[in-house]
Amino acid sequence: MAYKDYYDVLGVTRSASEGDIKSAYRKLAKQYHPDKNPGDDKAAGRFKEIGEAYAVLSDAEKRKLYDQYGHAGQVPPGAWSGAGPAGGGFSSADFGGVDASQFSDFFQGLFGQQGRGGFRGGGGQVNLDDLMSGMGGGRRFVQNVEGELQVTLQEAFSGSEEVIQVEGKRLTVRIPAGTRDGARLRLAGQGPGGGDVLLTIRVLEDGKFDLEGNDLTTSVDVPVDVAALGGSVRVPTMKGDVTLNIPQGTSGGRRMRLKGQGWPGKSGAGDLYVKLNLVLPTQLSAEEKQLYEQLRSLRQA
């Protein structure tokens, strides 16, 4: 499978700072967000590709591995770190008398760091039974395996179903609504030899919303006439667009609160804070220019 360079995906240089990477991601995520490109499979694919690149380059350890080994430094789907036979670790007997520490280094080099990688983004499948039998083990291992599963902010908010492959077996993973980044899911008995599959959920940053605690923050453009005279604008929420009434004389940078439109929590949903960006016209018709000049004259009188 051909992989695109993650730096090229985000349009940054290999020496880009953490801030440069985050800025590039936010810009591209806004441009290709599914809400702005409904029904566009190409844009949806690009959005996921951008998320995968950011998930690696925004993590110092993952970026170091990527810089050193490229995509080989990222664990592909099905390539797992494990807890050993029956969860108890490997002994030299398990490998025909060879020192197990050598295989520890081998697995780390082959699979990457513990649990690094993810399911989105493709990659080959590694059959642990074949691998072990090729080493002379010749028996089935009970193996607990770990991996990361990337979901969008919307999928984490609303809940979703994701399909992964473990040892060539397709598994459906149900993501509960309101799932947080770092949440752990356990698929009992679905790993090699009847072991468990342990998933860490990674919620991709969204170009439209920021999450802090149970509160979400977004921004919306407000035309100067609406800010001056009052009116309404449409505001995106995780449940769809709503109408926000703008008071007369509203200034740019003001934050308004939409109660209960934030992230779900045990004691109820948080709030959505909307930052108002005042938008001035860049081009004026002759009539509009005349009206602005009249307004200026009135203010100077």
Side-chain angles (χ1 to χ4, degrees), residues 28-260:
L28 290 170
K30 266 186 184 177
Q31 180 180 349
Y32 291 100
H33 197 284
D35 289 349
K36 288 192 174 183
N37 303 274
D40 188 337
D41 292 339
K42 200 169 184 179
R46 183 85 170 92
F47 182 74
K48 288 184 178 181
E49 186 179 66
I50 292 162
E52 291 165 14
Y54 181 72
V56 172
L57 299 186
S58 63
D59 183 293
E61 185 177 348
K62 292 180 183 178
R63 183 179 179 182
K64 182 179 178 180
L65 285 172
Y66 180 74
D67 288 344
Q68 189 170 0
Y69 301 110
H71 287 278
Q74 309 303 311
V75 180
W80 301 88
S81 60
F90 295 117
S91 70
S92 60
D94 296 322
F95 299 106
V98 180
D99 186 355
S101 66
Q102 297 178 24
F103 286 96
S104 175
D105 294 338
F106 169 76
F107 281 119
Q108 188 175 40
L110 178 63
F111 295 148
Q113 297 295 322
Q114 285 271 65
R116 301 297 177 183
F119 294 97
R120 292 185 188 266
Q125 297 293 316
V126 176
N127 189 303
L128 291 178
D129 288 336
D130 293 343
L131 185 61
M132 294 304 180
S133 63
M135 292 178 178
R139 75 173 188 252
R140 187 166 183 80
F141 284 78
V142 176
Q143 180 98 358
N144 288 342
V145 294
E146 298 187 19
E148 292 185 352
L149 178 59
Q150 297 175 2
V151 297
T152 66
L153 191 70
Q154 185 65 60
E155 288 169 339
F157 178 86
S158 304
S160 67
E161 288 190 353
E162 307 291 332
V163 177
I164 64 173
Q165 289 197 34
V166 179
E167 295 286 282
K169 179 171 60 177
R170 289 168 62 86
L171 302 176
T172 298
V173 182
R174 290 179 174 83
I175 308 299
T179 293
R180 301 283 188 148
D181 182 74
R184 301 265 287 178
L185 297 180
R186 177 173 173 264
L187 305 181
Q190 297 299 317
D196 297 337
V197 176
L198 307 172
L199 298 177
T200 300
I201 304 301
R202 292 301 175 199
V203 180
L204 298 174
E205 284 202 28
D206 190 283
K208 188 183 294 184
F209 298 97
D210 288 323
L211 175 62
E212 185 174 347
N214 285 345
D215 294 331
L216 288 164
T217 302
T218 190
S219 60
V220 67
D221 293 340
V222 179
V224 64
D225 58 301
V226 174
L229 302 175
S232 63
V233 294
R234 297 292 289 174
V235 175
T237 75
M238 298 300 293
K239 300 176 183 178
D241 290 356
V242 299
T243 299
L244 177 65
N245 293 321
I246 306 298
Q248 179 179 333
T250 294
S251 58
R254 177 177 177 177
R255 293 204 334 161
M256 298 185 69
R257 184 179 71 159
L258 290 175
K259 191 174 181 181

Side-chain angles (χ1 to χ4, degrees), residues 180 214 263-270:
R180 301 283 188 148
N214 285 345
W263 203 263
K266 292 182 180 179
S267 57

